[in-house]
Amino acid sequence: MGSRTAGGPGARVELSGWGWRHSGRRAHALRGVDLTVEPGERVLLLGASGAGKSTLLHSLAGLTGADSAISGDQEGTLLVDGEPADRRRGVVGLVSQDPETQLVMARAGDDVAFGLENLGAAPDRIWPRVDGALAEVGFPYGRRHSTGALSGGEKQRLVIAGALAMRPRLLLLDEPTANLDPAGAALVRGVLQRLLAETEATLVLVEHRVADVVDLVDRVVVLEPGGGVIADGAPQTVFAEHGRALADQGVWIPGNEPEPDLSPAPGGTTLLEAVGVAARTPVELGARSAPPRTVLAGVGLAVEAGTATALTGPNGAGKSTLLMLLAGLSKPYRGAVHPRGPLAEVDRRPLRRWPARRLARHVGTVFQHAEDQFVTPTVREELLFAPLRAGMDRGAADAWVDELLERLRLTRLADVHPYTLSGGEKRRLSVATALSSGPAHAPDVLTLDEPTFGQDTRTWTELVELLGALRAEGRAVVMATHDELLLRHLTDTRVRVADGGVAPVDAVAADPEGGTA
């Protein structure tokens, strides 16, 4: 990626008695944080979901404060190279949980160049850096490719390329590989290893799957929700001295994987069937726009009651596209998704032609971007919306919502706006809304895009057990996921999406998603 940055090696980070409370919240996200990160150190931030890890990264990037993007109340001091973080933005590169929020340009190359241009990089150095960063992260398209036509994982690669191209002295990464397929995640970790060795940049990393990144870091810092640092030291020391306690709090500790309690899959009749389904990318506007390309061609897939089907495969292969087609929310270019069995008795027309209310009653959807499905101003109202609309008694609805809030650790957030939640909290809420009609009124089919993203071990287990209970009751669960642990515990049919088609994994000699058939 090039030579050492002109400003020297890594930046120094210092927090003293630091705390932050988001606007509209009573409780602090973090408080009493005392932490120093020396230049060139590589720090892994750990803590339960909602512990304030993303908040700390955003603050280090200079995004919090009275005149910044995120408003709230700050106490204590937070300094980067001896100055407030909002004055040191030029030395910081941030990759946030949601890549959608960081894309600012219509074309891929322009988006990567944006940060360099704002830093005043010489024009003759910008494009070589852009091309080098795109190649390093394995971005599969050219500079002119539309950012709006990218999958979630492809957007993640692009955002990482933009951060790396800037050669930051402080690199802040929030779940940087969460949306990537296993091969892409391994590629990015290799790129980070080389970049950090070459530049000696300071790294602060948030990653739930600790085993994948422990070789990247030399220090682990654990945060307490609403508090400060509760453990700090070399990875082996922290895990040896605090591993059991941290695991009990939901922190992902190597060798302490959760074991959900699941009933066997009962199986059942076919509920949905994709027949000859084809999909293409949207038509782009502009003289330099690329023509539509085929994402899926001639896909056939049956979804059975009482089973969990997982869609796996490389980024950009069409997993999310297929999921939206199966949910009846996208129109196929060719072919159709037909209701079968009990669903055909409800309406024999292709799913795409069902009225919205009927579709929502029988097919629930959890989108890749959680915000796309939030429609009310508080978490509690979000969960009450579907059951009350379906005619559930208010007392029964309140009782079920209270249970969901408790099981998914959202009770303390019941009265806050969904948009102010952390990434993991938003994901739990989005899954909970799909389950909020209650077990007796749950949709016949539930389609979910990366349902376990950003979870600690406790909330991961609760989500998986809730989905497992629906499967046991005869509902069909369809998931697009890269979560190997989810694939291991809650998958009856594993389908690889690649090269425009689908294939059962047991018909594939070696599955790129991680493992052999």
Side-chain angles (χ1 to χ4, degrees):
M1 291 291 297
S3 60
R4 184 172 300 187
T5 54
R12 187 176 193 270
V13 171
E14 185 177 5
L15 294 92
S16 177
W18 184 82
W20 177 263
R21 181 173 58 192
H22 291 284
S23 293
R25 298 279 187 95
R26 295 179 181 177
H28 280 73
L30 288 164
R31 198 169 201 185
V33 178
D34 295 310
L35 177 66
T36 299
V37 182
E38 297 295 346
E41 279 195 297
R42 306 176 185 181
V43 175
L44 173 64
L45 284 184
L46 292 181
S49 180
K53 302 181 296 294
S54 296
T55 296
L56 179 53
L57 288 192
H58 291 154
S59 298
L60 291 173
L63 298 181
T64 57
D67 300 320
S68 299
I70 303 172
S71 60
D73 299 316
Q74 178 174 273
E75 58 187 30
T77 59
L78 182 153
L79 305 175
V80 176
D81 282 342
E83 296 188 66
D86 58 358
R87 299 180 190 173
R88 304 294 295 166
R89 291 174 183 163
V91 305
V92 179
L94 169 69
V95 174
S96 65
Q97 270 186 340
D98 184 0
E100 194 81 31
T101 63
Q102 290 191 259
L103 297 177
V104 295
M105 305 297 286
R107 295 189 298 182
D110 294 339
D111 201 84
V112 176
F114 182 80
L116 291 169
E117 291 170 342
N118 276 279
L119 291 177
D124 61 341
R125 298 182 62 193
I126 289 178
W127 293 111
R129 277 209 202 176
V130 168
D131 292 337
L134 290 173
E136 287 270 37
V137 300
F139 187 72
Y141 312 110
R143 293 182 196 165
R144 293 182 176 179
H145 193 81
S146 170
T147 55
L150 299 175
S151 71
E154 290 166 344
K155 290 175 181 176
Q156 191 81 352
R157 292 186 192 222
L158 188 62
V159 170
I160 294 171
L164 298 184
M166 294 169 61
R167 313 275 173 78
R169 296 179 52 233
L170 174 59
L171 184 58
L172 308 171
L173 303 177
D174 197 350
E175 301 268 10
T177 62
N179 291 311
L180 300 182
D181 57 68
L187 175 66
V188 167
R189 288 194 295 269
V191 171
L192 292 174
Q193 191 82 277
R194 293 194 301 274
L195 176 81
L196 293 168
E198 292 173 5
T199 67
E200 298 181 22
T202 304
L203 172 69
V204 182
L205 168 69
V206 172
E207 180 60 65
H208 279 87
R209 300 305 165 87
V210 176
D212 291 338
V213 298
V214 70
D215 291 339
L216 268 179
V217 302
D218 49 36
R219 182 178 173 191
V220 169
V221 172
V222 186
L223 300 176
E224 180 180 30
V229 175
I230 57 174
D232 183 357
Q236 295 79 5
T237 302
V238 170
F239 298 149
E241 295 180 358
H242 306 279
R244 184 179 296 276
L246 295 176
D248 290 342
Q249 295 174 32
V251 178
W252 290 90
I253 300 298
N256 287 271
E257 293 182 343
E259 292 286 342
D261 183 11
L262 301 173
S263 300
T269 185
T270 298
L271 296 177
L272 294 177
E273 186 177 11
V275 179
V277 166
R280 306 182 79 187
T281 57
V283 175
E284 299 176 22
L285 302 179
R288 297 183 176 180
S289 60
R293 63 182 179 89
T294 298
V295 179
L296 300 170
V299 168
L301 180 65
V303 175
E304 297 178 354
T307 65
T309 299
L311 307 179
T312 69
N315 293 127
K319 299 184 297 296
S320 297
T321 298
L322 179 55
L323 200 69
M324 292 300 101
L325 291 169
L326 293 172
L329 298 177
S330 296
K331 182 180 179 181
Y333 179 67
R334 281 192 301 270
V337 176
H338 297 282
R340 301 297 190 206
L343 287 189
E345 296 175 9
V346 174
D347 192 329
R348 293 189 175 276
R349 293 177 295 177
L351 216 60
R352 184 67 178 86
R353 296 175 58 191
W354 281 27
R357 183 182 288 268
R358 183 174 301 160
L359 184 66
R361 168 66 187 84
H362 293 279
V363 182
T365 303
V366 173
F367 296 97
Q368 190 174 51
H369 304 292
E371 293 91 338
D372 291 346
Q373 63 195 90
F374 297 151
V375 295
T376 70
T378 72
V379 168
R380 178 178 290 279
E381 290 176 79
E382 195 69 38
L383 293 177
L384 284 170
F385 182 82
L388 294 180
R389 191 176 183 187
M392 186 185 293
D393 174 77
R394 179 61 190 246
D398 281 333
W400 175 238
V401 165
D402 285 342
E403 180 178 341
L404 282 176
L405 289 170
E406 182 67 24
R407 291 186 67 176
L408 297 178
R409 291 174 169 77
L410 294 171
T411 301
R412 65 184 178 84
L413 303 168
D415 297 322
V416 308
H417 198 290
Y419 281 13
T420 68
L421 301 177
S422 72
E425 291 163 349
K426 288 177 182 176
R427 174 53 69 211
R428 295 204 297 282
L429 177 59
S430 66
V431 175
T433 58
L435 307 175
S436 61
S437 295
H441 304 282
D444 299 279
V445 180
L446 191 61
T447 61
L448 310 103
D449 206 337
E450 296 290 356
T452 54
F453 167 81
Q455 301 310 306
D456 62 36
T457 58
R458 295 177 303 177
T459 55
W460 184 94
T461 301
E462 289 289 358
L463 284 175
V464 173
E465 290 183 350
L466 283 167
L467 294 176
L470 286 180
R471 180 184 67 171
E473 291 166 2
R475 269 68 176 191
V477 177
V478 188
M479 312 168 290
T481 183
H482 296 301
D483 184 346
E484 188 62 36
L485 198 60
L486 178 62
L487 293 169
R488 193 185 315 157
H489 285 285
L490 188 70
T491 301
D492 306 301
T493 301
R494 184 165 168 176
V495 176
R496 180 174 177 246
V497 183
D499 302 321
V502 301
V505 167
D506 60 6
V508 181
D511 177 32
E513 200 58 14
T516 56

